[in-house]
Structures are given as C-alpha cells and as structure tokens.
Amino acid sequence: MSYSTDKIRNVCLLGHGGNGKTSLAESMLFLTGAIDRLGKTPDGNTTCDYDQEEVKRQISISMACAPLTYRDHKLNVLDTPGNFDFAGEVCSALYAADTGVMVCSAKDGLSVGADRAWKMLRERNMPRMIYISRCDEENADFNGTVDALKEKFGTAVTPIVHPIVGAGGVVTTFVDLLHKKAYNEKGEAPIPADAAGDVDAAYDALMEAAAGADEALMEKYFDEGSLSAQEIIQGLKAGVKDGSIAPVVCGSAATG
C-alpha cells in the first residue's frame, strides 16, 4: 500500500535503557495487527531487537524502524537504544523523526536518560509526549513520576490520562481525562466514586494547560471558567506544536 506524505508519521521512541521502548514498539505492532505474536525482550523474540548481540544482552544496540498502520496513516516507529554508548543511533533517528515519545518507567521515576531525551528534543524544537510504562506492576508510582517530571521540566508536562490505583499499588483503571471516561481490562467502566475528586482536579489542570496554549482560548477560559472537549483538543494541538505542552499517558507494553 502506498501513502501520501500527509499520511506518514515518523515517531522516535527515546529514553533510558530498560524503560520499555522496545516492548512498547512491539505492543504497538501487535495491537495494530502488524504482527500476530507478541514478542518479549527476555525471550529474545521482539521485532526490533533482532541482532544476535541484542538478543544475548537484552538491550537495543542500533535503531530499528517498525512500520505500522493506524487510522489510515502509516507510522514509522523508530526504536532507539537507551544505552549512552549508542547515542549516535538516537541522533540519527531524530533527523528523520517528526516527533519524539519519551519512555519513562513508573517503577524508576526520573532517569538520566529521560533528562537527555528531553534536552535532545528541546534542542531540535521537536513536539514531544511522555509514555510512563510498567504502570501495571506492584508499587508503580505514576503520580510520583509525573511530579518528578514536572519538577525537572516544568509545566509543559501535562497528563491527559489519570490512572486509578488498586491494591498493592497496581493500576486497575485509567481515566481518559478529555472525555472523562474510565477503562479497565474489561473495557469501559464507571469512574470510582472515591476517585472523582482527583479526576476533576486532573481535568481542570488539563483544561488550564490547553487554555494557556491559545490566546483566544485563554480569554474564554477566564470569562467562562471552562472549555469544551473540542476546544481542549485545539489547545493541546497548539501546545504540542509549539512545545509548551508535552502530553503524558500511561500504560503497560506487556499487556497492551
């Protein structure tokens, strides 16, 4: 299948080694039907880590391109090494990329690799977003990781989802803040009553960030105190484009 240039996106995954970039790429390929078997890094059978040394050491050594199709668009996912010894591979990928996805771990918090990734994206004035991985594991701390990112990188760090933690510190449900809809492993679910206050606060923060990226939206927000979902999207697009907003999402590459 051929694609016109406006239907092609080159997305670079970058961040600290071991935070799940290759697993995320594998999950994206599997969930979009590009592959029919979900490989795992410990098993040495992921699509992007195919070199014998990568399989042996369970790390990425070179940049790999994982093409997939989503909503009639072709996404070329560029999986880059997190080890500093192979930083040249990251630089090469960023030359071809339209945007960058920083992959962080909810288990490890802010890492040196995340700091380096942010600086590389900022130096190139590239749109960026943040994926916080391993949120399904015990004692994962999404909110703590977000707080650390905000302290380091400022108010640009803007969660667009809100995870709800159950027993053992494991995320059981997450809320799409834009539409205020909750989802668990079975699909859409009601927002737990005891989480409603936190969800409202996170939604207000998202709305404020979107308003801050567009002067007309800011005036309306001050006048009326709220924005519609479409207006929030408008503000998010503007903020991502000019670098004032870096959306934050969470997930688990192992389970999708």
Side-chain angles (χ1 to χ4, degrees):
M1 180 183 292
S2 61
Y3 296 87
S4 57
T5 54
D6 64 318
K7 297 289 187 181
I8 299 174
R9 303 287 186 272
N10 298 323
V11 181
C12 180
L13 306 182
L14 64 168
H16 204 77
N19 278 0
K21 298 180 295 297
T22 298
S23 296
L24 175 58
E26 187 78 5
S27 185
M28 293 169 72
L29 289 168
F30 181 69
L31 291 171
T32 56
I35 57 176
D36 57 12
R37 172 192 54 81
L38 183 65
K40 297 180 180 180
T41 299
D43 296 339
N45 58 358
T46 61
T47 304
C48 293
D49 283 354
Y50 52 84
D51 183 88
Q52 288 185 355
E53 283 299 311
E54 291 177 319
V55 173
K56 176 183 176 182
R57 301 178 184 276
Q58 296 186 12
I59 61 169
S60 297
I61 294 174
S62 60
M63 186 273 290
C65 179
L68 58 91
T69 300
Y70 182 69
R71 293 186 179 177
D72 298 322
H73 284 65
K74 182 182 181 185
L75 274 67
N76 295 311
V77 180
L78 308 177
D79 177 30
T80 65
N83 191 301
F84 285 15
D85 292 339
F86 311 113
E89 295 291 314
V90 183
C91 294
S92 298
L94 289 175
Y95 275 115
D98 304 306
T99 186
V101 177
M102 291 172 48
V103 180
C104 303
S105 168
K107 299 279 286 186
D108 303 323
L110 185 62
S111 62
V112 177
D115 189 24
R116 184 187 66 170
W118 183 274
K119 289 178 180 177
M120 295 178 78
L121 292 168
R122 185 183 60 194
E123 288 169 357
R124 291 162 174 79
N125 197 29
M126 291 179 65
R128 71 213 69 156
M129 69 180 297
I130 301 169
Y131 175 86
I132 298 181
S133 65
R134 302 175 66 183
C135 286
D136 61 325
E137 298 182 21
E138 285 191 10
N139 301 316
D141 188 358
F142 174 87
N143 292 326
T145 303
V146 169
D147 289 343
L149 290 167
K150 284 184 175 181
E151 183 176 350
K152 183 69 177 179
F153 305 129
T155 55
V157 177
T158 306
I160 60 175
V161 299
H162 180 75
I164 297 172
V165 178
V170 177
V171 173
T172 56
T173 306
F174 76 89
V175 180
D176 167 7
L177 290 175
L178 183 61
H179 302 98
K180 280 197 173 180
K181 291 185 177 180
Y183 299 89
N184 58 26
E185 61 182 8
K186 297 180 180 178
E188 190 172 340
I191 297 175
D194 59 354
D198 291 338
V199 170
D200 288 341
Y203 178 80
D204 289 343
L206 173 61
M207 185 163 50
E208 185 174 343
D214 185 290
E215 189 172 338
L217 292 179
M218 178 62 80
E219 290 181 5
K220 180 181 179 183
Y221 180 67
F222 280 143
D223 290 341
E224 301 180 13
S226 65
L227 299 174
S228 68
Q230 190 56 46
E231 287 169 334
I232 294 175
I233 291 174
Q234 177 185 332
L236 287 174
K237 285 184 175 181
V240 170
K241 188 174 182 179
D242 67 18
S244 63
I245 292 178
V248 182
V249 295
C250 67
S252 164
T255 65

